[in-house]
């Protein structure tokens, strides 16, 4: 039994070795095939090229730094600031999620100059540093910049031995220039405050507005004044009975214009307003009501039940 088991173990061991050699040979065949097709150099093709995925033959790795793949225009790499076009608005520093941009502006009393797109500059950049060691390459600072002076370049290889070398300085002012600009602005502000104090101390006289007088012009003879229209009063006609109409006694007589004018206008009668009716109770009823006292009702007493004797048949 032991000899049979030993033979089975040997056969499985040999089978596993053969399978391993077979798989290794198949992998090596594919490797040698691509190795023979590979060349010493290959033209670097960018991702934007339409033949980028069609080129299957050739070496995969390039001889960097002598050869490099072209970088796309929309790549996000090292930041650069064109300080001449910067208006030091501080928008890029506010929008940065990792606070890698540090800016210190100095105000100016007058306009310093203009950018390439015509925007006036009123602030000096005493400090404009970008720490690329902190940058997360999100591109928010470039989209917020109003003058488009902050851009992302195609430089992606900027490795350094010291981390402090990743802090890029873009401000061009010297310490002496910074102090002079600060003093000039402080002097300008002091002059302004002195002028305001002088103007506030001088009190102006209070002026009251004169009343406008409108001249009344008398009506000229050429333009006569129209009389006001007054409506004539309504006169009631006398009623005539049927008998008077037959006899002709009550016939209407023509009324002259002079009589109507001489008659005084009839005054309108006041509107009739009915007075509220108030019921007055009589004295006799009041006395009866006061003297009469309600009598109590008699108490109901049930009568006892009397049993009747049955009648004899």
């Amino acid at each position: 039994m032991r000899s049979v088991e030993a033979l089975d173990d040997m056969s499985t061991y040999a089978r596993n070795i053969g399978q391993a050699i077979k798989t290794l040979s198949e992998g090596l065949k594919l490797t040698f095939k691509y190795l023979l097709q590979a060349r010493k150099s290959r033209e670097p093709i960018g991702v934007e090229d339409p033949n980028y995925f069609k080129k299957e033959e050739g070496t995969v790795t390039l001889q960097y730094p002598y050869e490099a793949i072209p970088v796309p225009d929309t790549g996000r790499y090292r930041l650069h600031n064109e300080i001449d076009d910067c208006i030091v608005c501080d928008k890029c520093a506010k929008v940065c999620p990792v606070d890698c941009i540090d800016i210190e502006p100095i105000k100016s009393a007058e306009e310093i100059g203009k950018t390439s797109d015509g925007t006036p500059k009123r602030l000096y950049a005493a400090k404009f540093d970008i720490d690329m060691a902190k940058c997360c390459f999100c591109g928010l600072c470039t989209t917020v910049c109003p003058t488009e002076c902050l851009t992302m370049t195609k430089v992606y290889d900027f490795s350094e031995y010291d981390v402090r070398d990743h802090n890029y300085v873009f401000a061009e002012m010297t310490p002496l220039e910074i102090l002079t600009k600060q003093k000039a602005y402080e002097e300008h502000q002091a002059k302004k405050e002195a002028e305001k104090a002088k103007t506030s101390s001088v009190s102006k006289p209070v002026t009251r507005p004169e009343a406008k007088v409108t001249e009344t012009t008398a009506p000229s003879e050429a333009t006569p004044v129209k009389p006001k229209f007054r409506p004539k009063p309504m006169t009631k006609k006398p009623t005539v009975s049927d008998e008077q109409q037959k006899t002709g006694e009550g016939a209407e007589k023509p009324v002259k214009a002079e009589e109507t004018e001489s008659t005084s206008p009839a005054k309108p009668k006041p509107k009739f307003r009915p007075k509220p009716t108030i019921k007055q109770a009589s004295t006799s009823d009041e006395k009866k009501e006061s003297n009469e006292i309600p009598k109590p009702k008699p108490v109901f007493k049930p009568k006892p039940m009397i049993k009747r004797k049955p009648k004899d048949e």
Side-chain angles (χ1 to χ4, degrees):
M1 292 296 289
R2 288 181 180 176
S3 61
V4 174
E5 289 176 358
L7 289 170
D8 291 336
D9 293 338
M10 290 292 290
S11 62
T12 52
Y13 181 70
R15 198 182 302 116
N16 290 336
I17 290 171
Q19 191 175 0
I21 293 167
K22 185 181 178 181
T23 54
L24 282 170
S25 62
E26 287 178 356
L28 288 169
K29 279 180 185 178
L30 186 64
T31 306
F32 281 116
K33 181 183 176 180
Y34 281 103
L35 186 64
L36 294 171
Q37 290 177 355
R39 291 173 299 202
K40 290 183 180 179
S41 62
R42 185 186 73 175
E43 287 185 7
I45 299 172
V47 182
E48 297 174 349
D49 196 339
N51 297 322
Y52 180 79
F53 294 100
K54 291 181 181 179
K55 198 169 183 179
E56 298 177 357
E57 297 179 358
T59 55
V60 178
T61 57
L62 299 174
Q63 293 181 4
Y64 186 80
Y66 304 105
E67 292 180 354
I69 296 171
V71 179
D73 295 331
T74 55
R76 295 177 183 173
Y77 302 108
R78 194 172 73 182
L79 285 165
H80 174 72
N81 182 31
E82 196 66 34
I83 198 67
D84 294 333
D85 291 339
C86 183
I87 57 173
V88 200
C89 62
D90 201 22
K91 287 184 179 179
C92 54
K94 288 177 181 176
V95 79
C96 184
V98 292
D99 297 332
C100 69
I101 301 172
D102 191 8
I103 299 172
E104 286 182 9
I106 298 172
K107 292 183 180 180
S108 175
E110 297 176 354
E111 186 178 324
I112 304 164
K114 289 186 179 180
T115 60
S116 58
D117 60 350
T119 308
K121 295 173 69 175
R122 296 182 181 277
L123 294 170
Y124 293 102
K127 185 180 180 181
F128 198 108
D129 298 351
I130 299 175
D131 192 357
M132 291 304 298
K134 295 180 182 177
C135 182
C136 62
F137 304 96
C138 61
L140 291 173
C141 54
T142 58
T143 56
V144 168
C145 184
T147 56
E148 297 181 0
C149 66
L150 193 64
T151 53
M152 279 189 162
T153 60
K154 294 183 180 181
V155 181
Y156 59 88
D157 185 8
F158 49 94
S159 57
E160 300 287 347
Y161 288 103
D162 194 355
V163 180
R164 291 173 289 183
D165 293 336
H166 283 292
N167 189 21
Y168 294 92
V169 179
F170 294 99
E172 298 175 352
M173 293 181 72
T174 59
L176 183 62
E177 288 178 353
I178 292 167
L179 289 171
T180 52
K181 298 298 180 186
Q182 285 177 350
K183 284 181 180 179
Y185 182 70
E186 288 173 2
E187 287 174 2
H188 178 71
Q189 290 294 108
K191 285 180 182 179
K192 266 191 175 180
E193 290 176 0
E195 287 176 0
K196 282 183 181 178
K198 284 180 181 179
T199 53
S200 61
S201 61
V202 177
S203 60
K204 295 181 180 180
V206 180
T207 56
R208 294 181 181 178
E210 295 179 357
K212 293 181 179 180
V213 181
T214 55
E215 295 180 357
T216 55
T217 56
S220 61
E221 295 177 359
T223 56
V225 181
K226 292 181 180 180
K228 291 182 180 179
F229 176 73
R230 291 180 180 177
K232 294 179 181 180
M234 298 291 290
T235 55
K236 292 184 179 180
K237 295 181 180 180
T239 55
V240 182
S241 60
D242 296 334
E243 293 179 359
Q244 287 177 352
Q245 285 179 4
K246 289 177 182 179
T247 55
E249 291 177 358
E252 292 181 357
K253 294 180 182 181
V255 182
K256 295 180 181 180
E258 295 174 357
E259 293 178 1
T260 55
E261 289 177 359
S262 62
T263 56
S264 60
K267 294 180 181 179
K269 292 182 179 180
K271 291 182 181 179
F272 176 73
R273 293 181 182 177
K275 294 180 180 179
T277 56
I278 301 166
K279 291 182 180 181
Q280 295 180 355
S282 59
T283 54
S284 59
D285 296 336
E286 289 177 357
K287 287 179 181 180
K288 286 180 181 180
E289 289 176 2
S290 60
N291 294 328
E292 286 180 0
I293 298 167
K295 294 178 181 180
K297 291 182 180 180
V299 180
F300 177 73
K301 293 180 181 180
K303 293 180 180 180
M305 295 294 290
I306 301 169
K307 291 183 179 180
R308 294 181 179 180
K309 293 179 180 181
K311 293 181 181 180
D312 297 331
E313 292 182 357

